Amino acid sequence: MTPLAALLAERIRRFGPITFAEYMRECLYHPVHGYYSQPESARFTDYYTSPDVHPIFGRLLARQFAEMWEQLDRPSEFLLVEAAAGVGRLAKHILEFAQTKLPDFYAALRYVAVERSPARCDQMAEQLARFLQEGKCRPSIEIPALIPAGCIFSNELLDALPVHRVRQQEGRLQEIFVANDGGTFVELLMPLSTCAISEYFAAQHITLEEGQQAEAGLEACDWIGEIARRLERGFVLTIDYGHEAADLFDSHHMAGTLLAYAKHQASESFYAAPGEQDLTAHVNFTALRLWGQRRGLETLGLIHQTAFLLALGQGNQFADLYYDGMDETDRVRARLQLKTLIFPEGMGERFQVLLQQKSVPLAKLTALCAL
Ligand SMILES: C[S@@+](CC[C@H](N)C(=O)[O-])C[C@H]1O[C@@H](n2cnc3c(N)ncnc32)[C@H](O)[C@@H]1O
């Protein structure tokens, strides 16, 4: 039994079953024992993300952000807010590239690296020391209260937000709660803990089939609504794996999309090692559109990472992959890493990019030129 499992079992014994969302929140974000509260050192044994593959990912994003700044008529300050900045790897790639290749944009750039895990913020401080000292970048545990002009972006944040789990049973939605039976976590079907869950499905015109299970990502909806409220003028760029609601809740997903990850193995053993494995659910892009729209965000497009990176890199034949004096072996390696990011069977079609804007009605972005 992990230390967190013991704490959760005791809590359930004293206060009764908890929603799955509450269980997932503790597993990922418990201040001491949560999976993301640990420093990142052991993490590559479980999963890796696009910025880990090659800096080209951040460099192409930097080009897209520079274009956004142009479309906002080059404000003297452009707030670039990275939500879930982790240890700052992507921030470093973006800042270094902007400084050397996009100097006008860099002069206006103010980078806020938002990360809720204190352990990862400490690691970020090392990674970004130079930019922090220059005042070009600042770490934060939350999104700035007001973003007059800029962009809020994230890579693999929303799949890591807690979800409620439901099951259509006897013609109505019921919620999966977590109980504990003699030291073993068990699932219980109970009435919905909040009417926000039925509202979530109704707003998307989704009725589950009898016996179907699904996730309701209420926290992701709250998140997009809140950032939309804080953004005065600019863009929201979200990269993650997921689907539109019509696909997410179709008959191919009768058991939902929740998975546990440990040592690069996915499983449905959600209760195997609380706090010591990752838990993730596919993102519902329809919900992000709808809940964003309620707060003034207009969707510009949803495209696969393949199309997104190709649109941004093809203009100069991916010259941003290389640096002066690079030898041929490193060039070949860089091209292979680019393929991992772009090829459909790699990360290219697993990940999608959602682009939204607020108060930039005539926005035209290179990344979406194929739409
Ligand atoms: C899967 S990791 C992705 C990290 C990074 N974006 C990357 O691509 O490598 C998810 C990160 O989101 C952070 N996180 C979760 N909820 C957050 C929130 N509300 N605000 C900021 N960071 C959050 C976690 O602490 C964790 O570092």
Side-chain angles (χ1 to χ4, degrees), residues 30-196:
H30 182 281
V32 179
H33 302 296
Y35 180 79
Y36 285 118
S37 304
Q38 313 308 318
E40 203 198 47
S41 57
R43 188 251 300 155
F44 290 113
T45 56
D46 294 337
Y47 68 91
Y48 62 87
T49 63
S50 295
D52 303 328
V53 175
H54 191 278
I56 185 74
F57 184 73
R59 294 172 190 167
L60 294 177
L61 277 171
R63 288 203 181 275
Q64 184 55 93
F65 299 138
E67 186 184 46
M68 289 173 176
W69 169 68
E70 301 269 356
Q71 303 245 322
L72 287 166
D73 298 325
R74 299 178 151 231
S76 58
E77 287 203 353
F78 180 87
L79 217 57
L80 184 56
V81 181
E82 181 185 359
V87 300
R89 194 170 291 113
L90 181 55
K92 186 164 184 254
H93 297 158
I94 292 170
L95 285 160
E96 282 177 346
F97 185 77
Q99 186 172 33
T100 51
K101 301 282 182 175
L102 307 164
D104 291 350
F105 169 59
Y106 187 74
L109 181 59
R110 304 285 177 275
Y111 203 106
V112 185
V114 182
E115 173 52 56
R116 90 194 227 179
S117 156
R120 287 172 187 211
C121 275
D122 289 348
Q123 292 175 289
M124 187 201 293
E126 282 171 40
Q127 186 98 245
L128 300 175
R130 178 161 70 84
F131 298 104
L132 296 173
Q133 275 156 19
E134 281 173 21
K136 186 49 76 178
C137 171
R138 67 179 170 88
S140 172
I141 53 164
E142 61 172 311
I143 305 280
L146 181 68
I147 300 154
C151 174
I152 302 153
F153 78 103
S154 63
N155 182 59
E156 292 204 48
L157 161 65
L158 296 176
D159 69 84
L161 294 186
V163 289
H164 291 261
R165 291 174 68 214
V166 296
R167 183 179 168 91
Q168 182 80 359
Q169 186 88 357
E170 290 158 11
R172 66 196 162 92
L173 273 183
Q174 301 208 46
E175 183 164 359
I176 296 176
F177 279 68
V178 181
N180 196 276
D181 183 7
T184 306
F185 290 106
V186 291
E187 294 184 350
L188 277 186
L189 273 188
M190 292 174 57
L192 300 182
S193 61
T194 159
C195 57

Side-chain angles (χ1 to χ4, degrees), residues 13 28 42 65 95 106 113-114 161-162 172 232 299 307 311 318 327 364:
R13 190 187 67 73
L28 298 183
F65 299 138
L95 285 160
Y106 187 74
V114 182
L161 294 186
R172 66 196 162 92
E232 215 166 84
T299 295
F318 289 98
D327 70 24
K364 226 173 156 7

Side-chain angles (χ1 to χ4, degrees), residues 250-300:
D250 71 5
S251 56
H252 294 106
H253 297 105
M254 288 297 284
T257 64
L258 188 83
L259 284 174
Y261 273 94
K263 301 188 172 54
H264 291 281
Q265 294 291 320
S267 80
E268 292 183 1
S269 306
F270 311 135
Y271 307 104
E276 293 178 7
Q277 60 178 2
D278 198 8
L279 293 172
T280 125
H282 287 203
V283 168
N284 178 347
F285 288 108
T286 304
L288 295 181
R289 278 175 202 259
L290 286 175
W291 267 258
Q293 215 170 357
R294 291 177 180 182
R295 293 291 184 109
L297 278 186
E298 188 211 326
T299 295
L300 292 166

